[in-house]
Amino acid sequence: MATKRPRYMISVDDEMFNAIEDFRFEHRFQTRSEATTALIRLGLEQLKKEEAEKKASRDVPGDEG
């Protein structure tokens, strides 16, 4: 099945590989690629949330410290 989406390969250690596989089966993803994409998306969303919270806490008036 051809796709126009960019592709790249990553290497992981056994522990991370097993964690990805566990996530894949627990969440019923058809492919390892789908599970990995979901994990990356979740991680990026979490980073974005943490950055927004950090920015919001810096912007609180009277909370300088």
Side-chain angles (χ1 to χ4, degrees):
M1 175 169 37
T3 179
K4 293 188 179 201
R5 291 191 281 179
R7 293 174 173 254
Y8 67 95
M9 184 184 305
I10 62 169
S11 298
V12 297
D13 61 25
D14 290 339
E15 184 178 348
M16 187 175 292
F17 179 82
N18 290 329
I20 293 167
E21 286 293 279
D22 290 346
F23 178 83
R24 174 185 171 200
F25 289 110
E26 288 169 11
H27 294 85
R28 300 176 187 257
F29 284 99
Q30 291 286 321
T31 66
R32 191 175 298 126
S33 179
E34 289 175 15
T36 303
T37 299
L39 286 166
I40 292 169
R41 185 172 289 116
L42 287 167
L44 291 172
E45 288 171 0
Q46 183 62 32
L47 282 173
K48 192 174 185 179
K49 179 181 174 184
E50 289 173 8
E51 289 170 1
E53 289 172 354
K54 204 182 294 186
K55 183 181 184 305
S57 69
R58 285 193 306 251
D59 294 342
V60 174
D63 188 23
E64 301 169 14

